[in-house]
Amino acid sequence: MSVFTDLVFEAGLVARSLGDYFSGGRLRLGVTGLSRSGKTVFLTALVNNLIAGARLPVLAASAEGRITRARLEPQPDDAVPRFAYEEHLASLGGPDRRWPQSTRRISQLRLTIEFESASGWGSKPSSLAIDLVDYPGEWLLDLPLLDKSYATWARETLNASETPARAPLSADWRAALGGLDAHAKADEDTARDIAERFTAYLRKARDDVYALSTLPPGRFLMPGDLEGSPALTFAPIPLGEGDAIASGTLAAMMERRYEAYKSHVVKPFFRDHFARLDRQIVLVDALTALNSGPAALADLENALSEVLRAFRAGRSSRFASIFRPRIDRILFAAAKADHLHHTSHDRLEAILRALTAKAIARAEGVGATIDVIALAAIRATREAEIRHGGETLPAIIGVPEKGEKIGGQLFDGVAEAAVFPGELPADPMAIFKGDGIALAESDNDWRFVRFRPPLTAPGQPAPQIRLDRALQFLFGDRLA
Ligand code: GDP
């Protein structure tokens, strides 16, 4: 049965690709990244800049004055929630100037750009419908589960939880496993208790202080619409090597739910959404990891290779029967570059290049062009030179969020602050050594300082950094 549905699905995909080919002027752009990497802000700024007709000098069609109009249209997929663009924009531009609600699940929006084509003889009117698909990057980390048995996954996850960085965080869950008999009769209360403790461990590891990257199952931290559902009520439990799993036992219950998670949650996501994307931007919060030091950076490097593995899969025979990605451009973007002085933007890009180098080298031959950029979809700061003890230092100025602290000073969400963000190292490899980068003066612990969104004139999009360059890479060629 499952082979049959896979075949039907494949046929559907082929038909859809042909349809897309003949109608032309359509592109599905995926926006992903781990939690709080800046997906919602990026997508809101992208749409806002294009609809408002903002000046985007590096986007060729914009620089050449060929974009006539950009507008939102009803999306073609009725079963996918709409990206709440208007709500996000209102939140940024409202009297309180708040950052929008972050991505919790998949959502979608169709933006149609009308433009004058520059190709051929003279210009002719054309349009490009871009389906923007925003989804949690955590979901991509589930791919390796598809060909992994419950017993293998349970063993690997338990081993990872015992490593020095994770052991203290997983102690409570592992203690509860101690008194457990995997071969005892299945019991819902026990299953729920173990699943809750396991989820609490995953959540703790992701906290800012540890900044460890997420382990699968991705939906345990980003459940989307599955919050509280039995599909998420399972966890690894220790099984002896080669143990047979008898029916009716706790182990059997866990295994069944794990398999259900794979077939009802993971597979449909890859087939129905991921496989249909043409282009992809992966946002990365490299600054938080930089501030946490080499362990967090190594962890981020791993998570990024896992993410890139999803793009490579399907071109290899392992997953080819399940889905076949057709993505031909992938952009890795270090977000929130407005936390740095512009002299460090190229260095941030070099660091992200170093973080993704191994994964990209392995992805050679995926048939996709991959690039790396540092950007700020919304620039919340401005730059200044400040005289400090006879020296002139480059600074950034913004309004820290209410309750934020810098060097003992508590902010009220109204007053501006100047911070000296320090310089990133010229040699990107330096980040993998030592105790993390002192990005600020030692008594100015600005690492977790969040600035409020900037004040903008009505109807005007917020300023940005290199957003236009990102857009040129992602779809500039389709506006030629
Ligand atoms: P998501 O979880 O990937 O959707 O992340 P968001 O887009 O909600 O971003 C998470 C937080 O990062 C926001 O609430 C902002 O505080 C911050 N952020 C995101 N993008 C930017 C940016 O371009 N500039 C600045 N200064 N902060 C940003």
Side-chain angles (χ1 to χ4, degrees), residues 73-87:
E73 280 196 304
Q75 67 185 51
D77 300 282
D78 294 331
V80 182
R82 185 173 180 277
F83 178 79
Y85 168 69
E86 293 78 5
E87 220 171 274

Side-chain angles (χ1 to χ4, degrees), residues 227-260:
E227 190 124 32
S229 94
L232 303 189
T233 318
F234 66 92
I237 54 174
L239 291 168
E241 195 77 49
D243 266 10
I245 298 181
S247 67
T249 60
L250 186 63
M253 182 191 215
M254 293 290 182
E255 183 182 45
R256 196 182 61 243
R257 288 184 178 175
Y258 171 80
E259 291 301 331

Side-chain angles (χ1 to χ4, degrees), residues 3 21 94 127 179 183 222 242 250 259 289 298 309 319 360 381 448 474:
V3 171
Y21 179 78
S127 75
H183 304 292
M222 276 287 149
L250 186 63
E259 291 301 331
R309 214 154 94 133
F319 297 107
I360 292 177
T381 64
F448 300 116
L474 291 169

